[in-house]
Structures are given as C-alpha cells and as structure tokens.
Amino acid sequence: MHLLKLLPGHVLEAVAGYLLIIVANLSVALYVLSLSLSLALSLCLFLAYTHRELLQQRGIGRSQMSAGDKCVSIHPSYQASIRLLTEEQDYFGKGHICSGALVAPSVVLTVAQCLYNSAKRSYYHPAELRVALGNSQRFAPSAQGLVYGVTHIYQSPKQRSLAILMLEQDVPSAETQTRIQPIALPLANAVAAQQPSDTWLVSSWGTAGYEQQQQQLHDLLNLPVNQTQCEQPQQLCVLYAEQVQQSQLALDTGATLTAENSLLGLRSESQSTFVDVASHVDWIQECIGDGTNQNSSIWGMLGLLVFTVYVLKCSRKSFFA
C-alpha cells in the first residue's frame, strides 16, 4: 500500500485500466469456453441420438447376452468377415454375407453356399468380394483391422462343402502384429471327439430377434457348445446352452467351430450343423500349397491375362464389324 501511494496518479490509473481490461478479457474467455462446452455437449447428445436412430433404421443391434449368459468375451484372431464390394461401399459392414476362417497367410476358408448368388444362380466373382480381418465389431472398423481383395476362389468338388478364398496379399506375420493370425487346420480325416475337458467354441455375427424385428448383430459372439451325434458324414453337430436357444439368435453361414486353436468346422445347413474341416484337409492343402500370396498371385495374373484376351477379342469384333 505504501508503494502504491508513492506512484504518480496517472500510473495508478494506467495499472487500474490494464487490470480492468484483463478482467474483461477473462470474463469473455470464460463465457466463450462455457458456450463451447455447451455446444460440444449438445452436439454429442445429438450425434448419439442420430447414431442410435441410424442403427435402428439399418436394423443393427447388440446381443442381449453377456459373458454370464454363456457368451465368451474374446476376439478370435482368425475370424473373417466376407463381404460384397458393392454393398460395402455404402457403409462399413453392410456388405457382410458370411463368416470364414483365416487358415494360412493368404487363405480364408468358408462354406461353398456362402459364395453362391441365388438371384443370379451363379457364384460370385473374386472381384466382387472383400475379406475383413481383425474386426470383432461388424460395423466399426478396428485400427488394427485389415481388408483384402480376393484373387481366386477354389470351388469345392461335388462331394465337398467348402470353398477357399485366396487373398491379394499375405497378412502381416506375428512378428509385427498379433491381432490377425491364422488358425491351424486339423489332421486330415481326424475324427473329432469332444472330451470332458475340451472347450468347443462357435464364433459368429448373425441376427437376433423374431422375424419381423430381427436385428443384425454388431458384436462378434463366442459361444461354448457341446458335441452331439450327426446323422450325415463329413458333418459335426453341436448343442447350444439353453439361454442361446431361447435368445432367437441366428448365426452366420460360415460361423467357425474351434477347439484349442484348431478349426474343426464351419456352419453350413442349420444352426447346429457344421462342415467337418478334417475331411477336407487333403483337398485344401492340395489347392493352397504353402498358403502364401505366391499361389494367389499366380491365379491373379492368369485371371488378368484371360480377361485381357477377352477384352481384345471383343474390341477386334467391334473394330471389324
């Protein structure tokens, strides 16, 4: 106070003026900050509401089952989502048509019926398909997720029920990432028999609810199952927990059935019926070789060559017409 009395009057007035300016600026800054926070909160609420409405319009929902309801919370590193490119261009996840399993660096295994276009009565061309890996949520891309094109499809012989998709490139090795890794094939023609200590797991997306109120599931389900007897050869049959049976779940075609990091089966005809992979192993290994992109690239180049010859023939006909 004594120092202030020693200062000239005009200096005191200048200091007071500066203090008033600082206080005024702080008040404006606080007002702008509170207004920005209010706007941000309002925008978040609006986006949340809009997102919820959008999910409802698209028929997207979450499973009502929790880990305590016989649903295991894991992310299978081999799980593949097979998608149609034309549908996928609308929004991520819309093009999903079935599930599959990564069994080698550039090889995805699924059931043959997954790739059949019933409207055109023909199988999809490789260029029409995309394979999404590393995403446990169907409609939300993961930062570690990858999407690959397909260069070739091995159609199964009449007595077989599986199909092989060759990817455009190998997935990164375990040395660089662990989010996406192949699952092992069983021994050829091995007879699958569940022991009391064995855990068999079915992983799938799919739908939930009754026919008129069905919703496409956003989260990947992992369901423990028990083996039951099958009437047909080259099949594995399972029994779900009572909670699953009552929940109106409809699993994907191609849903994976696994045990101890081995692919036992892929869902085919019904909810509880899976194609026995062991009975197809000889054919699979014959087709994929070492399972790397080298095989896939050869087929891709051959396909491009055939397409080029076809285009040249069409062009020649048009030129001389």
Side-chain angles (χ1 to χ4, degrees), residues 59-114:
I60 300 170
R62 294 179 180 271
S63 169
Q64 298 301 316
M65 300 175 63
S66 64
D69 294 326
K70 304 298 181 183
C71 187
V72 180
S73 179
I74 63 169
H75 169 70
S77 61
Y78 51 81
Q79 193 77 18
S81 169
I82 301 167
R83 306 179 174 194
L84 289 178
L85 177 59
T86 52
E87 296 290 324
E88 196 68 6
Q89 289 173 340
D90 193 358
Y91 58 86
F92 189 86
K94 182 181 179 182
H96 175 88
I97 53 174
C98 63
S99 294
L102 183 74
V103 296
S106 65
V107 181
V108 168
L109 199 62
T110 188
V111 291
Q113 69 190 74
C114 160

Side-chain angles (χ1 to χ4, degrees), residues 171-201:
V171 299
S173 66
E175 296 175 356
T176 58
Q177 59 85 37
T178 57
R179 177 79 176 180
I180 305 169
Q181 290 300 315
I183 188 171
L185 291 170
L187 296 175
N189 300 309
V191 178
Q194 187 179 26
Q195 302 300 319
S197 59
D198 294 344
T199 299
W200 284 19
L201 199 68

